[in-house]
Amino acid sequence: MQQFPNDIGWIEVICGSMFSGKTEELIRRIKRAVYGKQVVQVFKPKLDNRYDETQVVSHSQLKLTSIPIERAEEIFHHLSPKTQVVGIDEVQFFGSEVVAVCEALATRGIRVIVAGLDQDYQGRPFEPMPQLLAIAEYVTKQLAICVVCGNPANRSQRLVDSGERVVVGAAGAYEARCRKCHRAEPTEATPPQTLDLFEH
Ligand SMILES: Nc1ncnc2c1ncn2[C@@H]1O[C@H](COP(=O)(O)OP(=O)(O)O)[C@@H](O)[C@H]1O
Ligand SMILES: Cc1cn([C@H]2C[C@H](O)[C@@H](COP(=O)(O)O)O2)c(=O)[nH]c1=O
Ligand SMILES: [Zn+2]
């Protein structure tokens, strides 16, 4: 009989806008799994080389070692038979095949935790997130803070002039905005708050 790492697997989705804390939440869950002596592997798309080639890095500089891959199926080439938890960051950069990969991992008894954008810069559902939300057992929607008005933000405002859906970037290229302040077309950056309460 085939041996599964856990009695049962499942899929957890952490979604939301940019700067909403998806990566921080992924790192928190992975850390807790490691405290629990679970065998963990984390993957990220090679495309996301903003802060580091191999590490998953949050906007607040929390870091986690990961395996960079181009296509979701590569997870099976790297997967150790003992792995109990698989984390995937920036899941929106994988094609629709990541849905079947997550499903297969969960069916094998693996806890799958994926983090990614639910909307693109125009506020449209960012595939494959809608499909992942449909099949997940657990869904967490994170909110950032709108940099224009201070309300909860569920959208990512693009600041660079491009109509391509995929444009890798962080602060300077995007900012968090609520639905009232968000514009589907790229806009200028919101001027920063002049009062600096934090030491650098
Ligand atoms: N407008 C904002 N709202 C909330 N957090 C922000 C904002 N701008 C920067 N941050 C920082 O981003 C961190 C979240 O980073 P991260 O987990 O990488 O987000 P995500 O993966 O959702 O883009 C916050 O803890 C905070 O330090
Ligand atoms: C909205 C939007 C974002 N992106 C890119 C920009 C970043 O590289 C990632 C999101 O990173 P985060 O960890 O959620 O901050 O996605 C994009 O390519 N297209 C978009 O529409
Ligand atoms: Zn706003």
Side-chain angles (χ1 to χ4, degrees), residues 21-129:
K22 302 181 302 296
T23 300
E24 286 177 347
E25 179 60 17
L26 174 68
I27 293 174
R28 189 185 76 87
R29 292 186 197 185
I30 295 294
K31 272 191 183 165
R32 288 166 68 89
V34 171
Y35 283 130
K37 310 285 182 293
Q38 301 269 293
V39 182
V40 174
Q41 284 186 288
V42 179
F43 299 89
K44 72 171 212 171
K46 261 196 189 143
L47 187 66
D48 175 39
N49 56 4
R50 287 178 303 181
Y51 293 122
D52 197 275
E53 294 289 339
T54 55
Q55 302 213 80
V56 164
V57 183
S58 77
H59 294 298
S60 53
Q61 295 301 307
L62 297 179
K63 292 179 184 164
L64 185 67
T65 301
S66 71
I67 303 171
I69 52 174
E70 270 166 21
R71 294 181 314 108
E73 287 93 344
E74 291 171 40
I75 290 176
F76 295 118
H77 306 155
H78 295 281
L79 195 67
S80 143
K82 293 213 164 75
T83 293
Q84 294 161 294
V85 181
V86 165
I88 310 175
D89 200 17
E90 305 293 350
V91 74
Q92 76 279 351
F93 287 155
F94 292 112
S96 58
E97 71 280 359
V98 75
V99 180
V101 169
C102 291
E103 187 75 24
L105 293 170
T107 305
R108 282 193 196 188
I110 293 172
R111 174 184 175 195
V112 184
I113 314 172
V114 304
L117 293 172
D118 50 3
Q119 296 175 43
D120 68 9
Y121 74 103
Q122 294 191 306
R124 295 173 304 186
F126 207 149
E127 291 80 17
M129 189 51 88

